Amino acid sequence: MKRSSLLKSAVRSAAAPLGACCGALALLVVYTATGAAGGPPPRITVVDARIVAPVNAGSTAAYFEIRNTGAARDTLLYADSPELGVSVIRPAGRESGSASTDRVRAVDVPAGGTVRMAPGGLGVAILDPPALKPGQKVRYNLWFRYSGMVGVQAPVTVR
């Protein structure tokens, strides 16, 4: 058999599977582009944000209520503020102003659920904050695994 005949035969043999793969890929691209792929997304809102004004030069804390009205869970990975120092999500049982740097790796926010941060419970420790005055508003960013960054203005409160 001639070399050109072998090449033509190989191309013809590969054409059908290659065409089927390209067609399947095109359908998958259209399917995902329409948003039909995957499960329903989480819907995160942050309310009741507040930062406790530091009593002395030590650390302080920020508290948030995180609501997920979506049909899928999400996970709070970390929180930060461009206006403040280092922020660390801390576990329940620590009071604001505590020198502890215990850290929570992530906080699950269940589908249709709410996570409430409060003094003596889960919160965000702000290490070495700048001078903060009651009534001042500070931008805070909460970063979620699926929802990305959710920003909120947190007022500074006395307690």
Side-chain angles (χ1 to χ4, degrees):
M1 200 176 223
K2 291 183 177 178
R3 186 177 172 125
S4 64
S5 299
L6 285 173
L7 185 60
K8 285 180 185 178
S9 177
V11 169
R12 276 191 217 132
S13 296
L18 184 60
C21 287
C22 289
L25 181 60
L27 289 173
L28 284 171
V29 167
V30 169
Y31 180 65
T32 57
T34 62
R43 285 189 169 71
I44 299 292
T45 55
V46 179
V47 298
D48 245 357
R50 66 188 174 98
I51 298 170
V52 177
V55 188
N56 52 33
S59 65
T60 191
Y63 302 102
F64 307 93
E65 182 174 305
I66 303 166
R67 296 178 184 164
N68 181 357
T69 58
R73 74 175 181 86
D74 208 340
T75 305
L76 174 64
L77 301 173
Y78 60 95
D80 65 13
S81 172
E83 302 171 41
L84 301 177
V86 176
S87 296
V88 178
I89 301 172
R90 62 173 172 70
R94 298 280 184 202
E95 290 297 320
S96 66
S98 163
S100 173
T101 56
D102 291 349
R103 181 174 190 269
V104 172
R105 293 282 175 215
V107 177
D108 282 333
V109 184
T114 299
V115 171
R116 288 180 187 87
M117 297 181 181
L122 184 68
V124 177
I126 304 167
L127 309 178
D128 196 27
L132 296 170
K133 296 178 182 165
Q136 176 183 353
K137 294 207 179 206
V138 177
R139 171 84 181 171
Y140 236 98
N141 302 317
L142 280 70
W143 297 86
F144 296 87
R145 176 167 288 132
Y146 303 110
S147 299
M149 191 264 305
V150 176
V152 65
Q153 290 288 328
V156 176
T157 62
V158 176
R159 277 276 171 214

